[in-house]
Amino acid sequence: MFNLIIYGVISFWKIIFGFLIFTRIFTEKRRDKKWIERLGWGILTILAIDQAWDSCHGFIPWLQIVVYGGMNAGILKIFYRCTFLEALLWNWLYDIGYTLLKMLFSIIRGVYLNQGATYVNVIGGRILEENVLCFFQLCVILVLYFKCLDKIELLLKTLVKTRKMKIITLITEVIILESIHKMMEFGAVQYKTVDVALYILIIFCLLTAFLLYIVYTLYIHSREEQKSLVVQREILIRETEVITEHCRRDAKKLHDLKHTWIYLQNCLEEKDYGEALKCVCKHLNEVRMLQRQAWTGIAEIDLLLNYKYQKMKEQGIHFSKDIDVYSLPVTRENFMIILGNLLDNAIEAAEKYEGAESRIHLLIKNINEMFIIRIGNTCMEKSPEYGGKRWKTTKNDSIHHGWGIENVRQIVECSGGKLDFRREKDWFEISILI
């Protein structure tokens, strides 16, 4: 009885930490209310208790992995912003990793006792050695949770990044689950020594193939990240050069004002007041154009916004704003990449608009612990499509264009945020929530 209770407690915490890891990766809740969050965790806790009790009656509950994995995924999807398949893949991957070593122990125990799967899983009950093994596995999970969560997040998000990766991961998990099920059938009457070797061989082959696939996907991810960093650096250099040139041009115009004053002096001395008034009106408009606004109080961002605003005025685009920001969730350099790319895309689309008035609206706000940036613009073109790896560009040269919005997406996702877009008739809007 004592071993049974200990085994149930260990199983309960194993299940709970599986939920905790997933919710630390997919942190965004579907409803941002405390009572809903508590309700969700209450349901998950009840499920964990039920599954832990059920596992006490079977050291390797194969059906539990399949059925409870789907049930847990459904509950996680209800309370957190994730897809059912993402949650299911995680639950199965987590339980498979926890089960593989237990399965090997179970077969060895069956060979030692000359018994089959039914005895070692159910009739034989829980023994001290099983508790020691499960406690060791729980310690490994705790280390992964507190020390390696970022690596687990990278792995999981890489495995569910595209539809192709999701399908390959799902097929691999189904094959491993079916292999575990078959090994239990082989020992229905009695496990033999050959079953140990066969299990090790099958699992070794499957794990080798799966690990190679993981290494490959991580390599592809790393290569895309490197390419993204190069593009980000190029974008940042380009924006800096443009702003610097813009400042130099403004400085030159201000320097030229002294010649205007000399000209005005001559006009006044010759009493040519009409010409003097024209000169004053002309240059007063230029001075107004040179005046910069303090949009955010952050120097680099204000320079960028002033430059983009000048471009909008030159193109006759009406610009409106709703800005209330006191801190940024990313570095200033990364925010310049985000804002610069989104504004460039909005200006380009608004320029092509053939309606009555081209408009761009910018919203940047800190709300509680959330940061929101939303850019909407009038447009005539179709909304951009996402092609699995990056956003599709409307330009003819799709090889060298279209990486701007992809860099924005990567920066946002690496910061734990989400990028979304919507289109209504002639209005296109991109929203970022971090």
Side-chain angles (χ1 to χ4, degrees):
M1 188 65 181
F2 176 75
N3 284 329
L4 190 67
I5 295 173
I6 295 299
Y7 184 84
V9 172
I10 294 173
S11 298
F12 170 78
W13 284 110
K14 182 272 293 186
I15 297 167
I16 288 294
F17 272 98
F19 294 151
L20 286 172
I21 292 173
F22 186 83
T23 54
R24 282 282 298 274
I25 295 173
F26 292 88
T27 56
E28 189 177 355
K29 305 174 186 65
R30 291 196 181 274
R31 297 289 184 274
D32 193 21
K33 293 183 179 179
K34 286 291 184 182
W35 71 268
I36 294 180
E37 181 181 3
R38 290 169 183 169
L39 174 64
W41 273 105
I43 295 173
L44 291 174
T45 302
I46 293 172
L47 281 175
I49 294 172
D50 180 62
Q51 293 170 38
W53 173 253
D54 190 31
S55 67
C56 291
H57 300 85
F59 187 53
I60 303 175
W62 179 84
L63 187 62
Q64 183 191 87
I65 296 176
V66 178
V67 176
Y68 281 164
M71 189 183 301
N72 294 341
I75 298 299
L76 289 169
K77 180 185 182 300
I78 291 173
F79 291 96
Y80 289 86
R81 291 192 179 276
C82 61
T83 66
F84 174 79
L85 184 56
E86 288 171 342
L88 180 65
L89 290 177
W90 165 249
N91 278 279
W92 281 1
L93 181 65
Y94 183 72
D95 284 333
I96 286 172
Y98 188 77
T99 301
L100 291 178
L101 191 58
K102 289 168 59 178
M103 183 68 190
L104 178 60
F105 179 89
S106 179
I107 296 174
I108 294 174
R109 183 187 174 198
V111 172
Y112 178 76
L113 298 175
N114 293 321
Q115 296 289 343
T118 303
Y119 179 84
V120 295
N121 280 319
V122 182
I123 300 174
R126 308 282 64 84
I127 60 175
L128 178 62
E129 289 78 2
E130 290 177 349
N131 284 335
V132 172
L133 175 64
C134 292
F135 181 74
F136 168 75
Q137 290 182 291
L138 180 60
C139 291
V140 172
I141 292 172
L142 292 175
V143 171
L144 292 176
Y145 179 77
F146 289 107
K147 299 294 183 180
C148 307
L149 190 60
D150 55 338
K151 296 180 176 61
I152 298 175
E153 179 178 2
L154 174 61
L155 172 62
L156 180 57
K157 289 194 173 181
T158 301
L159 292 177
V160 300
K161 186 175 182 180
T162 64
R163 183 180 301 175
K164 178 181 177 182
M165 289 181 178
K166 289 179 182 178
I167 292 173
I168 293 175
T169 304
L170 178 63
I171 291 173
T172 305
E173 290 182 354
V174 170
I175 292 174
I176 294 176
L177 286 171
E178 184 61 25
S179 299
I180 293 174
H181 183 54
K182 288 297 181 184
M183 289 305 302
M184 294 180 71
E185 288 183 351
F186 290 161
V189 179
Q190 179 181 339
Y191 279 118
K192 299 178 182 180
T193 306
V194 68
D195 292 332
V196 178
L198 182 61
Y199 174 78
I200 293 175
L201 178 62
I202 292 174
I203 296 303
F204 175 79
C205 293
L206 289 173
L207 287 181
T208 301
F210 192 51
L211 288 173
L212 288 175
Y213 166 66
I214 290 175
V215 170
Y216 171 74
T217 54
L218 292 177
Y219 165 73
I220 296 298
H221 175 81
S222 176
R223 192 174 65 178
E224 289 182 356
E225 285 289 319
Q226 291 177 356
K227 183 184 291 185
S228 174
L229 288 173
V230 171
V231 175
Q232 288 179 23
R233 187 163 53 250
E234 290 176 352
I235 293 172
L236 191 58
I237 291 173
R238 182 192 66 194
E239 294 288 354
T240 303
E241 289 177 348
V242 168
I243 292 174
T244 302
E245 181 60 31
H246 181 65
C247 293
R248 287 175 180 171
R249 189 167 61 247
D250 288 354
K252 181 178 180 300
K253 288 180 180 179
L254 291 171
H255 177 72
D256 290 343
L257 282 177
K258 70 176 183 180
H259 300 290
T260 302
W261 286 109
I262 293 173
Y263 177 75
L264 282 173
Q265 184 182 17
N266 291 334
C267 289
L268 292 174
E269 288 176 351
E270 297 175 3
K271 298 183 179 181
D272 190 352
Y273 302 119
E275 192 64 28
L277 182 61
K278 289 180 182 179
C279 181
V280 169
C281 291
K282 174 185 175 183
H283 289 284
L284 184 59
N285 288 331
E286 291 183 2
V287 170
R288 286 170 180 165
M289 290 286 290
L290 292 175
Q291 287 180 336
R292 296 191 177 90
Q293 301 185 46
W295 307 85
T296 65
I298 303 172
E300 298 91 335
I301 308 305
D302 287 346
L303 277 172
L304 180 63
L305 278 173
N306 276 292
Y307 172 68
K308 302 297 181 183
Y309 180 58
Q310 293 300 326
K311 288 182 66 174
M312 295 180 210
K313 291 180 69 175
E314 292 170 3
Q315 298 296 329
I317 300 171
H318 176 72
F319 177 67
S320 58
K321 66 187 186 303
D322 184 4
I323 299 176
D324 183 14
V325 57
Y326 52 83
S327 66
L328 300 175
V330 297
T331 64
R332 295 187 180 186
E333 293 79 5
N334 281 340
F335 188 75
M336 288 180 70
I337 292 173
I338 293 173
L339 187 60
N341 273 285
L342 296 185
L343 283 175
D344 282 343
N345 290 342
I347 292 171
E348 182 180 350
E351 285 175 354
K352 298 175 182 178
Y353 180 64
E354 298 175 358
E357 183 184 48
S358 296
R359 295 183 294 115
I360 293 177
H361 179 72
L362 171 65
L363 180 145
I364 310 177
K365 281 194 173 185
N366 291 109
I367 302 178
N368 297 327
E369 296 181 358
M370 295 187 299
F371 178 84
I372 300 173
I373 175 171
R374 184 180 299 128
I375 298 180
N377 59 270
T378 49
C379 64
M380 294 294 291
E381 300 176 355
K382 294 181 180 179
S383 58
E385 301 175 0
Y386 191 70
K389 292 185 178 179
R390 63 188 178 103
W391 294 77
K392 295 180 180 179
T393 179
T394 57
K395 299 182 176 69
N396 294 328
D397 183 5
S398 62
I399 301 297
H400 296 96
H401 293 283
W403 286 101
I405 194 69
E406 176 63 12
N407 275 278
V408 170
R409 183 190 65 80
Q410 289 187 4
I411 293 172
V412 170
E413 290 186 353
C414 287
S415 303
K418 183 179 180 182
L419 183 147
D420 200 3
F421 68 93
R422 67 179 180 90
R423 177 184 173 86
E424 295 179 359
K425 295 182 179 179
D426 60 351
W427 184 257
F428 179 77
E429 189 172 270
I430 283 187
S431 300
I432 292 174
L433 176 65
I434 303 176

